[in-house]
Amino acid sequence: MLPEDNRYYEYVRQFITYPVDALRAQTEGEVKMKLTVDAAGKVVRMHLVESTIPSGATGESVMIQQARLLLRQLRFEPAAGTSEEEMKIGYKFY
């Protein structure tokens, strides 16, 4: 893990909200998203690649939505010389 990654994970731990209903039901899993980042480092598109949260589990849709909201707030350093860059990123709820 790089030092830049540490800042990302600290931000995630600080700002992601675990849905109360999912917490009570002990729903957990991993959400993987594919992001498109523009030349300014802003997330312009994203879609769900994979989720290990059981389908229909209490809080499933809210957990995925929380990941989307958090990722929209992040800013990245895109590769030099490109207008957009795609990347996959994941977060585990546990």
Side-chain angles (χ1 to χ4, degrees):
M1 186 176 337
L2 299 172
E4 301 85 38
D5 294 337
N6 290 334
R7 289 187 305 195
Y8 159 74
Y9 286 112
E10 182 58 35
Y11 180 85
V12 169
R13 280 191 291 275
Q14 192 174 25
F15 290 102
I16 199 155
T17 304
Y18 207 111
V20 174
D21 290 343
L23 192 58
R24 287 185 183 138
Q26 297 181 343
T27 302
E28 59 184 37
E30 184 174 348
V31 176
K32 292 183 182 177
M33 306 289 257
K34 183 176 183 180
L35 310 176
T36 303
V37 178
D38 69 11
K42 183 178 175 187
V43 176
V44 292
R45 284 186 298 282
M46 76 173 74
H47 74 270
L48 181 65
V49 173
E50 179 184 4
S51 172
T52 63
I53 301 168
S55 182
T58 301
E60 173 198 17
S61 63
V62 179
M63 291 167 79
I64 292 169
Q65 184 61 28
Q66 281 296 314
R68 287 180 188 276
L69 289 171
L70 179 80
L71 293 171
R72 284 244 181 249
Q73 296 173 30
L74 296 178
R75 294 296 176 262
F76 297 89
E77 244 183 78
T82 62
S83 59
E84 291 187 351
E85 179 180 353
E86 289 186 349
M87 67 180 73
K88 290 183 183 174
I89 195 164
Y91 183 75
K92 291 182 183 180
F93 287 89
Y94 55 93

